[in-house]
Amino acid sequence: MTEKQPRIPGSPGSATPPVAEPTTPAGPLPPSPDQSGPATVSPTGQETGTPQDKMAQGGKFLTTAHGARLKDSDHSLRAGPRGPALLQDHHFREKISHFDHERIPERVVHARGAGAHGTFRGYGTASKLSQAGVFAKDKETEVFVRFSTVVGSRGSTDLARDTRGFATKFYTDEGTWDLVANNIPVFFIQDALKFPDVVHAVKPHPDREIPQAQSAHDTFWDFVSLHTEAQHHTIWFMADRGIPRSFRMMEGFGIHTFRLVAQDGSTVLVKFHWKPKLGVHSVTWEEAQIISGADPDFHRRDLADAIEAGAFPEWELGVQVFEDTEDQMFAGIDLLDPTKIVPEELVPVEPIGLMTLHHNPSNYFAETEQVAFNPNNLIPGIDVTNDPLLQGRLFSYLDTQITRLGGPNWNQLPINRPHAAVNDMLRDGMHQTAVHAGVAPYRPNSLDGGNPFETPDGDRPFIDHPAPVSASVKERALPASFDDHFSQARLFFQSLSEVEKEHTAQAYTFELGKCYEQAIRERQLKALAAIDPTLAQVVADGLGLPVPKPAESPADVVPSPALSQVGREWPLDGRQVGIVVGPEVDAGELSGAVTAVHQAGLVPLVVAPSGGEAATRLLGKDLVAQRTYLTARSIEFDAVLVASATPPAPDAANGLDSKVGATTPEGIDPRVSLLLDEVWRQAKAIGAYGAGEDVLRTAGYLEGAGVVTGAGGEEAVQQLLRLMPAHRVWERFPTTGRFAT
Ligand code: HDD
């Protein structure tokens, strides 16, 4: 009897190559020459225009979903021009029915986000700690990152006071690794079982579904004041970290302690940190509020524009490394408690690789919306610890995608598909796109030649590290080391500069001022008293309430300077400089200023009285007005240079309804005057040259802190560039003196 040949392609003895799994879907049809899009220029001045190979419609003629050519897509099939519609109209039903199902459920948290593709390059410095190939020296791995707010719905503002998500998918050769991080290094809760509680508390009230994308309401403060382990996380986003200037200027934190496993099986515990090359920066609360009305897509736009303009954002990935001891403690800090940090001054962050984001998604839905992160996605060399929050996350993410992405095959979506070979035995289910061959998706089998085989040790399988589990009783309890809820919140507050403390106190006063229930405000003031008595005092004064006495004196803490955003200088890539011009502008000088801004890697945006031909007459053919007095707003500029400005025009009131509040010194267009007032309050660098100096003098700002002048446009820009690396003119912020050290 002849031996039966294995029938699976790619199996031992088979002549046919293996079938790639899941099956790669067919690409779009080749474009036809008559479908080129119009040439366009992006807001950053880059040429855009959709290249032929990226156009949605690949073929010459419109077709149905099954490929039949269509003659008319504007009129439904009806019984005569005045008659009723016919059920027979397949094109109508297909088009409308598909449209009816275009939305998928938004994420229950982190619904609003922006994504980008990039590359991670290992430095090799972690190779001694972890066998993961992604960390090897100069190894390049493709990544997709999604930044997000947590609370708001998909259409909410980017500038809500909130935590930001920072989730990275590393498409490594050894499987996909997801580092699902936030821009704040601690979390509200210590046990995942409470996640629905904190989320229900911060989401809009269930009766009226308001407020949207805000924590400034009773249910949130009710929860965090009762549930004091949330106080540390809360103070981080009451501080300026809750209103970032840009996704490009945020840190990212893996929060939990993870375990790295080396080639020889040895282990260390680590905390992951993303450090942005551009530094950590925030907007002011006034800016956040203006942005939420004037440009709610501020962060999305900033990320996409920067990448399009070639100012590719970069982050170093770093680790704090701890010995993998039995108690998993470091200097009295429980490494399994996700409400605690280990100050960088105690354990420095060691850089292990660089991530560069270098291209924008082509399709928001297919990529940014459908991307599905999962802390379970681990690769050999990276493992989890028993952090009770992390343990619960290992269930939740896999589960949520089944509802959100409509079934168990979400890993087959192009953005989620691993770049490593997949050879699983998962079959069928909703939205199955793979055409699996073979007859034996089970183990052991003989019909498919025994395929797929288990991986022997030498071939780098993922091994759950055999960490010892202490003999214990089954119970619902946390260790006593998780009990301290205030000392690290105090450590954070004590590490801030005076201005940052003022901002934090103002944020608490605003948020609690929005609560209706007096008892909730009072309870939260007690928590503040346990964090810092002066903070409690200032907030209580702001609310007009008595200052509570702390139950016990706040612990002594050693501040961690790394937690403050003030006091250093940072690169300016992709920052925007508004250049205000009026009728007396000298085109040559202006051109010098624009070029100087460009050459420094920043984006100049010329603000002219109006656009169109009037702007061309003013600026000449070589320069364009990117903004007008009407469309410009302080929030989009990191600094403003005044070349000149028109006196009030007859239409100056046009647009002021949305810019109410302008104090208008005589001789300055009120819209320019408002711009200067806002930029001044936001403590941004201001510069002027030529007639622009008169404008600043008239507005009363010429002698102010952080206001510079130059003999010409280029020189004035150079002066501005000296101020901008500090991010703000910090001394310009008013302080009460109550947090002075
Ligand atoms: Fe979560 C999404 C980060 C705790 C359950 N989480 C989500 C996203 C980020 C984080 C960045 C958005 C991913 C994306 O862009 O698609 N989450 C965190 C961090 C946590 C954390 C840093 C604590 C250290 N999360 C956490 C817990 C649970 C969840 C404790 C549940 C027990 N998170 C989810 C979720 C989401 C999610 C409901 C919503 C959408 C999704 O997963 O894909 O499953």
Side-chain angles (χ1 to χ4, degrees), residues 683-717:
K684 291 168 179 167
I686 300 175
Y689 68 91
E693 286 188 36
D694 297 332
V695 176
L696 289 190
R697 187 173 299 108
T698 314
Y701 294 130
L702 190 62
E703 307 299 330
V707 179
V708 289
T709 55
E714 194 186 332
E715 196 188 311
V717 169

Side-chain angles (χ1 to χ4, degrees), residues 118-243:
T119 308
F120 176 80
R121 185 170 54 78
Y123 289 164
T125 43
S127 295
K128 57 184 184 308
L129 304 176
S130 169
Q131 58 182 279
V134 64
F135 300 136
K137 186 163 171 48
D138 293 332
K139 171 75 187 168
E140 297 215 333
T141 301
E142 285 179 51
V143 296
F144 184 79
V145 176
R146 184 173 178 274
F147 302 105
S148 49
T149 51
V150 177
V151 178
S153 297
R154 240 189 92 178
S156 56
T157 172
D158 282 348
L159 248 303
R161 182 178 288 283
D162 197 356
T163 304
R164 299 298 185 286
F166 185 149
T168 307
K169 198 174 268 303
F170 297 76
Y171 301 95
T172 86
D173 303 341
E174 300 166 306
T176 303
W177 173 40
D178 287 350
L179 182 56
V180 195
N182 279 345
N183 76 328
I184 287 177
V186 288
F187 206 65
F188 289 108
I189 49 174
Q190 295 167 324
D191 187 318
L193 186 57
K194 283 180 283 192
F195 192 64
D197 299 303
V198 60
V199 175
H200 290 170
V202 72
K203 283 279 183 178
H205 289 220
D207 48 358
R208 302 178 181 192
E209 223 210 2
I210 51 175
Q212 175 58 241
Q214 286 181 43
S215 53
H217 56 103
D218 287 277
T219 53
F220 176 71
W221 289 101
D222 186 31
F223 177 80
V224 297
S225 59
L226 287 167
H227 176 82
T228 48
E229 75 198 38
Q231 291 291 332
H232 189 193
H233 187 157
T234 305
I235 198 168
W236 274 76
F237 83 97
M238 287 303 115
D240 292 343
R241 301 255 180 171
I243 42 175

Side-chain angles (χ1 to χ4, degrees), residues 5-33:
Q5 286 299 314
R7 289 182 293 175
I8 270 279
S11 61
S14 161
T16 28
V19 176
E21 277 184 70
T23 309
T24 310
L29 291 173
S32 67

Side-chain angles (χ1 to χ4, degrees), residues 353-670:
L354 179 73
M355 177 169 76
T356 308
L357 297 184
H358 48 59
H359 77 267
N360 287 313
S362 310
N363 184 280
Y364 184 87
F365 182 83
E367 299 172 89
T368 312
E369 190 60 11
Q370 294 205 114
V371 68
F373 293 91
N374 184 354
N376 287 282
N377 286 349
L378 297 162
I379 51 175
I382 306 176
D383 205 352
V384 296
T385 58
N386 294 344
D387 173 338
L389 189 68
L390 177 56
Q391 292 281 316
R393 293 179 76 193
L394 299 178
F395 165 73
S396 185
Y397 288 71
L398 193 81
D399 188 44
T400 203
Q401 314 306 350
I402 295 171
T403 298
R404 195 170 74 81
L405 297 171
N409 291 312
W410 47 272
N411 265 325
Q412 295 181 9
L413 291 166
I415 192 69
N416 296 326
R417 196 176 295 161
H419 292 196
V422 172
N423 203 10
D424 61 32
M425 285 193 284
L426 310 173
R427 290 293 181 271
D428 309 344
M430 299 279 275
H431 313 303
Q432 176 60 259
T433 57
V435 183
H436 292 106
V439 295
Y442 55 84
R443 274 190 41 79
N445 74 68
S446 65
L447 290 177
D448 282 350
N451 282 293
F453 299 99
E454 286 177 342
T455 317
D457 279 352
D459 287 321
R460 302 177 54 74
F462 179 84
I463 298 172
D464 295 283
H465 179 70
V469 178
S470 60
S472 196
V473 289
K474 239 196 282 182
E475 59 182 332
R476 294 184 183 274
L478 285 173
S481 51
F482 280 43
D483 286 349
D484 165 21
H485 298 167
F486 295 109
S487 67
Q488 286 219 340
R490 177 169 172 75
L491 184 154
F492 175 75
F493 190 70
Q494 288 298 312
S495 306
L496 300 180
S497 66
E498 185 184 0
V499 170
E500 291 170 303
K501 285 180 178 167
E502 294 277 0
H503 289 175
T504 310
Q506 285 160 18
Y508 275 113
T509 313
F510 174 87
E511 298 255 327
L512 293 172
K514 289 282 203 172
C515 292
Y516 290 93
E517 295 293 336
Q518 180 87 344
I520 292 175
R521 296 177 183 183
E522 286 172 0
R523 208 188 302 130
Q524 178 56 31
L525 281 174
K526 275 195 192 135
L528 291 185
I531 295 171
D532 185 282
T534 314
L535 174 63
Q537 170 96 49
V538 173
V539 177
D541 290 352
L543 294 170
L545 291 174
V547 192
K549 285 221 164 16
E552 52 194 81
S553 310
D556 278 342
V557 290
V558 182
S560 163
L563 302 183
S564 168
Q565 297 175 218
V566 180
R568 277 160 287 171
E569 299 210 326
W570 302 97
L572 297 172
D573 312 25
R575 296 280 190 142
Q576 307 204 136
V577 179
I579 307 180
V580 180
V581 302
E584 296 151 51
V585 71
D586 172 327
E589 284 295 337
L590 177 64
S591 178
V594 167
T595 309
V597 174
H598 257 309
Q599 279 174 348
L602 284 71
V603 181
L605 295 170
V606 174
V607 183
S610 60
E613 284 181 13
T616 314
R617 275 197 300 279
L618 190 66
L619 306 172
K621 281 203 208 76
D622 296 335
L623 290 170
V624 288
Q626 283 91 357
R627 301 288 185 275
T628 65
Y629 288 180
L630 176 62
T631 59
R633 197 74 201 244
S634 58
I635 47 156
E636 56 187 330
F637 308 127
D638 294 291
V640 163
L641 178 66
V642 188
S644 59
T646 56
D651 70 340
N654 179 9
L656 265 186
D657 51 344
S658 62
K659 298 184 174 187
V660 173
T663 51
T664 312
E666 217 170 298
I668 306 179
D669 186 292

